[in-house]
Amino acid sequence: MQVKSFKPMMIFNKLVSVVTDYLNAQYGLEIRESAVQFQPTRKEFEGDYTLVVFPLAAKVSKSPVSFAEELGEHMMVQSDYVEAYNVVKGFLNFSLSARFWKEILEWTGDVGVHFKQLDKKGRLVLEYSSPNTNKPLHLGHIRNILLGWAMYKIKQRCGYELIRTQIVNDRGVAICKSMWAWKNCSSGETPESSGIKGDHLIGKYYVIFDKKLKEEYLDWQKSREAEACLKERVGKDENAEAFFKRFKNDYFNEFSKIGKEVRDMLRKWEEGNTEVTALWEKMNSWVYDGFDETYEKLEVTFDKTYYESDTYKLGKKLVEEGLEKETFFQKEDGSIWVDLSDSGMDEKLLLRSDGTSVYMTQDIGTARVRYDDFQMDEMIYVVGNEQDYHFKVLFEILKRLGESYAEGLYHLSYGMVDLPDGRMKSREGNVVDADDLIEEVINTAAKNVEERGDMAHLSEENQKENIRRIAMGALKFHLLKVNPKKRMVFNPEESVDMQGHTGPYVQNAFVRIQSILGKTEEYPFELMEDYWKINEEERSLIQLMLSYGEVIVRAGEEQDPSHLANYLYHLARTFHRFYHEHRIINAESEAAAAFRYHLIKHVSAYFEDGMELLGISMPSRM
RNA sequence: GGCUUCGUAGCUUAACUGGAUAGAGCACUUGACUACGGAUCAGGAGGUUGCAGGUUCGAAUCCUGCCGAAGUCACCA
């Protein structure tokens, strides 16, 4: 085992080129190496890797079976590592030698080797949180944030330089509603005086506002004005009840007294009125303290926070510039639009007739501010799929404005999180609050730990930290194991599961290995030289470790951390089975013990590294 | 209604992008600790991959048409 500089990827490439060279020499076929793919052989067949020969056989017009035989024979002769092969239909399965697996095992010791050959990529701005300041974070935000954090780690590993940002939506009517309610319906309570977390306090007044508005609306419905309005605007086949249900928003804008007060407040805010601005600043600061606490519990941080109250101004300016360049156009009422119909989209409003900005305006500004700050090459927005169209339009606009980073824009669009009884509706109080959820998983983990009693000898502080890691591991894994694009149904009971396809299952494999390593002596690597009968479970573990780099790269390129989560589960499953089948301490020979010692040591490093990329840390005991 | 996305075991989901007998977990059920941690392992049962066609050596995956669900089409964010 003197091959310290040995690079296993080269074996793979060599095996591939044995095939491509042969096709070239014998048949004059130029085949790209990427077209020759070895996949792990399915369990029910003999062999380690499989080459699907059908497409190749078709190209040389031979029968798949005989051509597979031909290739297999050739590989046996050409490569020292190919020990045996068999052909089933058009599938060529080949087995690699013990020497191959031992050399791979040695190579896998340093997790970093998988990434050494990756090119340096550019600078990447990642936006992975975009909260509104009128209510606390909920389950949907958690999915968003955890996805973003995992992407940060994974992209970084793939060679990008990452800038983590959030955009705070701190302006607009919604915030004014909370402000109005606090001003009119509280006796000046603060987070300190009430003991309520700042973001929850604001949320409380947002709900109070909604209640007040509803009361006012109900009263109004009995008025003459309402009667007249109903008569005038009710639709055909519509009863009064249905009408009033749909009319609520128009009522707020046209008839509501408190609605008018809220809009006055917004106008004053935009004019820079000192009293309103002071209230706005005070209440926002409460919210930020609350958010920070939640972020801390989720173990995430940001390099830079942007506020829409800052960026919308630049957005306006860019829109006006776009108008001068005739990228945009103006309607008679003064509103500014972009016409994207030649790209299969619609006309889109960019600036209202009264000159105030809309959502799109802000996002144009925010993008440019970020470029001024960081000169990024690419940017990823982690935002729910309800905004797919918005981002499609935004990216097209930035392209037309000639922004240099416009070709590197991505919307990591994740599916909504539904509850078993349907969509979350904040209005109806049917939301899973982020802080509540975190508290709940920690309580559940604590209960489990207490029942087991495996941690009793640890210090209280130590126990608490382990419990926290297990709980967060369960929650995070549960959200990250499914494909981000898919809408997911979140069952609170399943999110605190700690058995089966879960985070704690992976953590358990890790903790188990640490426990074993603590009980055995260290073996020098050379001692495994005499171990030749590598069993199926051992081979599977090495094979999995060998594919780690591929998995991460794929997760990065597809912006899908679930590939990594499922890989780690698979690795843990394979380890647990191995553990039950084979002795590590007191193995059948010293060579076997040495081999397994290094094997599990390496495997545990992959657990720790992979989970870290998902934002999950390992407990010391569980 | 237009556009977008999605229908896989009772529930939650996977399938290396067109490959072998669709793989897991939960729940249900039968077993396994006098050997390294039972938050584990082995087994059983559970599937016409929404339906119907088509493309080919081969389809959950690609094409067409239905059926069903969600999102979006604001001078909201």
Side-chain angles (χ1 to χ4, degrees):
Chain A
M1 202 75 68
Q2 62 289 22
V3 273
K4 287 283 183 217
S5 62
F6 169 73
K7 291 193 182 73
M9 291 328 284
M10 288 180 64
I11 298 187
F12 256 82
N13 294 341
K14 222 171 130 192
L15 284 173
V16 170
S17 51
V18 165
V19 175
T20 53
D21 289 352
Y22 181 72
L23 287 169
N24 198 345
Q26 291 292 314
Y27 299 95
L29 270 179
E30 292 282 352
I31 304 271
R32 275 176 301 124
E33 299 213 338
S34 58
V36 178
Q37 286 226 335
F38 295 133
Q39 44 191 274
T41 302
R42 292 183 67 112
K43 241 186 116 186
E44 56 269 36
F45 299 97
E46 187 73 25
D48 298 323
Y49 288 95
T50 297
L51 176 65
V52 181
V53 186
F54 291 101
L56 300 175
K59 285 208 167 97
V60 300
S61 38
K62 288 199 162 187
S63 95
V65 175
S66 66
F67 192 55
E69 288 283 353
E70 186 180 328
L71 280 175
E73 188 57 40
H74 183 70
M75 285 173 73
M76 280 276 277
V77 174
Q78 287 296 311
S79 173
D80 298 340
Y81 291 107
V82 178
E83 205 169 56
Y85 74 91
N86 66 80
V87 174
V88 181
K89 292 196 259 179
F91 299 92
L92 169 60
N93 309 313
F94 52 92
S95 306
L96 299 170
S97 65
R99 205 181 109 225
F100 173 84
W101 296 114
K102 282 198 264 188
E103 290 183 4
I104 298 291
L105 176 59
E106 183 175 12
W107 179 81
T108 54
D110 170 14
V111 177
V113 292
H114 293 279
F115 310 101
K116 275 186 185 141
Q117 267 136 319
L118 293 179
D119 301 328
K120 276 265 169 285
K121 313 287 198 310
R123 188 178 283 183
L124 173 60
V125 166
L126 175 70
E127 173 192 300
Y128 73 97
S129 184
S130 42
N132 297 328
T133 53
N134 63 324
K135 49 185 180 246
L137 302 175
H138 59 66
L139 177 55
H141 296 111
I142 295 189
R143 186 180 200 191
N144 189 318
I145 290 164
L146 296 181
L147 267 173
W149 185 259
M151 283 318 299
Y152 151 63
K153 290 282 183 178
I154 291 168
K155 281 286 188 183
Q156 200 173 49
R157 185 59 68 80
C158 293
Y160 283 91
E161 181 193 348
L162 267 288
I163 316 279
R164 294 159 295 176
T165 71
Q166 63 171 327
I167 177 82
V168 180
N169 179 12
D170 59 346
R171 56 180 233 104
V173 180
I175 290 93
C176 291
K177 288 178 179 174
S178 292
M179 284 160 64
W180 182 92
W182 186 82
K183 205 176 152 191
N184 291 288
C185 311
S186 85
S187 44
E189 71 172 338
T190 65
E192 290 77 28
S193 75
S194 64
I196 300 175
K197 195 163 164 274
D199 50 340
H200 289 264
L201 187 65
I202 302 300
K204 175 179 157 187
Y205 283 99
Y206 189 71
V207 172
I208 288 176
F209 174 86
D210 202 56
K211 220 174 97 194
K212 291 280 174 196
L213 180 66
K214 238 176 229 159
E215 286 168 13
E216 192 200 60
Y217 189 38
L218 276 175
D219 281 345
W220 178 79
Q221 285 171 26
K222 296 169 204 148
S223 72
R224 285 255 168 84
E225 192 177 39
E227 221 172 279
C229 177
L230 172 66
K231 202 174 265 175
E232 189 187 329
R233 306 202 203 180
V234 73
K236 268 191 291 182
D237 312 323
E238 190 179 37
N239 60 27
E241 194 188 345
F243 170 77
F244 283 124
K245 203 173 166 191
R246 126 180 112 77
F247 193 67
K248 192 177 167 196
N249 201 37
D250 292 303
Y251 167 76
F252 175 82
N253 285 318
E254 293 179 41
F255 300 99
S256 167
K257 207 178 118 223
I258 60 179
K260 185 173 179 308
E261 287 175 29
V262 166
R263 270 176 291 119
D264 282 347
M265 209 174 211
L266 178 62
R267 208 197 58 242
K268 281 185 186 164
W269 179 87
E270 288 192 356
E271 288 164 358
N273 175 293
T274 48
E275 193 193 332
V276 172
T277 305
L279 177 61
W280 176 77
E281 276 172 359
K282 177 164 73 179
M283 290 184 71
N284 271 345
S285 76
W286 296 345
V287 172
Y288 299 149
D289 289 346
F291 285 168
D292 286 345
E293 216 178 284
T294 308
Y295 288 145
E296 202 182 320
K297 285 189 226 164
L298 291 171
E299 302 163 287
V300 302
T301 55
F302 300 91
D303 298 309
K304 173 100 188 177
T305 294
Y306 291 96
Y307 301 92
E308 291 191 335
S309 57
D310 289 334
T311 61
Y312 81 99
K313 291 174 196 149
L314 179 59
K316 272 187 184 182
K317 209 180 111 200
L318 292 173
V319 169
E320 276 151 16
E321 282 174 20
L323 181 62
E324 279 166 34
K325 285 192 289 184
E326 294 185 353
T327 310
F328 307 141
F329 69 96
Q330 192 157 30
K331 292 196 175 174
E332 282 167 16
D333 61 5
S335 57
I336 301 179
W337 297 70
V338 62
D339 181 6
L340 301 176
S341 51
D342 51 341
S343 303
M345 288 171 262
D346 296 325
E347 290 183 356
K348 193 79 193 171
L349 177 85
L350 300 176
L351 220 47
R352 295 194 186 100
S353 49
D354 64 3
T356 57
S357 66
V358 291
Y359 188 33
M360 192 64 75
T361 328
Q362 301 171 359
D363 271 356
I364 293 169
T366 307
R368 171 64 76 81
V369 175
R370 284 177 179 152
Y371 184 74
D372 291 342
D373 287 348
F374 299 111
Q375 295 84 45
M376 70 282 185
D377 306 290
E378 297 179 28
M379 179 147 62
I380 297 178
Y381 297 83
V382 184
V383 179
N385 65 10
E386 57 193 347
Q387 296 193 31
D388 283 355
Y389 185 67
H390 171 79
F391 281 101
K392 210 177 148 198
V393 170
L394 174 66
F395 293 169
E396 180 61 26
I397 289 172
L398 291 171
K399 249 176 234 171
R400 293 187 183 201
L401 286 173
E403 300 293 290
S404 65
Y405 51 87
E407 295 298 329
L409 294 168
Y410 303 95
H411 173 202
L412 200 181
S413 161
Y414 64 88
M416 298 287 97
V417 184
D418 290 336
L419 299 177
D421 53 344
R423 187 171 181 178
M424 286 197 285
K425 294 262 193 219
S426 37
R427 285 261 171 72
E428 292 157 29
N430 185 24
V431 284
V432 176
D433 176 77
D435 297 311
D436 292 349
L437 180 59
I438 291 168
E439 198 184 324
E440 197 187 318
V441 289
I442 289 177
N443 288 341
T444 306
K447 216 180 293 166
N448 287 349
V449 163
E450 202 180 337
E451 278 170 20
R452 283 161 208 279
D454 289 337
M455 281 191 207
H457 64 290
L458 297 178
S459 73
E460 196 176 323
E461 196 182 337
N462 216 332
Q463 287 188 36
K464 238 178 131 182
E465 176 60 15
N466 279 334
I467 288 167
R468 197 190 63 77
R469 290 183 179 193
I470 295 164
M472 294 310 290
L475 178 60
K476 290 181 177 184
F477 196 92
H478 186 253
L479 287 168
L480 289 173
K481 76 180 178 188
V482 315
N483 186 325
K485 281 185 291 222
K486 285 196 158 181
R487 162 187 162 268
M488 76 181 283
V489 177
F490 182 89
N491 186 333
E493 283 162 27
E494 284 172 11
S495 73
V496 299
D497 272 353
M498 307 202 173
Q499 288 166 19
H501 192 180
T502 67
Y505 179 91
V506 180
Q507 290 174 325
N508 183 239
F510 174 83
V511 169
R512 204 175 223 183
I513 292 175
Q514 300 317 304
S515 170
I516 298 167
L517 289 175
K519 285 180 181 149
T520 182
E521 53 183 308
E522 280 189 36
Y523 291 90
F525 210 85
E526 292 70 30
L527 249 184
M528 71 168 73
E529 185 60 29
D530 291 333
Y531 185 62
W532 295 108
K533 288 171 72 178
I534 296 175
N535 61 53
E536 189 188 322
E537 289 78 14
E538 291 162 343
R539 233 173 34 222
S540 298
L541 285 170
I542 298 172
Q543 201 169 14
L544 278 167
M545 285 194 283
L546 179 57
S547 62
Y548 185 65
E550 243 171 76
V551 171
I552 306 274
V553 167
R554 184 170 171 218
E557 279 173 358
E558 295 181 17
Q559 301 182 4
D560 181 356
S562 74
H563 291 306
L564 176 55
N566 288 321
Y567 165 88
L568 290 167
Y569 169 71
H570 196 51
L571 187 64
R573 211 169 101 82
T574 310
F575 167 75
H576 281 305
R577 182 183 300 138
F578 159 77
Y579 168 86
H580 276 272
E581 295 289 326
H582 308 285
R583 297 284 311 164
I584 298 158
I585 299 173
N586 300 328
E588 60 269 27
S589 69
E590 198 174 36
F595 181 84
R596 287 171 194 161
Y597 167 82
H598 288 281
L599 178 64
I600 65 170
K601 201 172 158 189
H602 291 185
V603 167
S604 88
Y606 283 71
F607 285 139
E608 193 166 33
D609 188 70
M611 291 289 262
E612 210 269 331
L613 294 182
L614 295 177
I616 300 172
S617 34
M618 292 298 190
S620 63
R621 293 187 69 89
M622 59 192 296

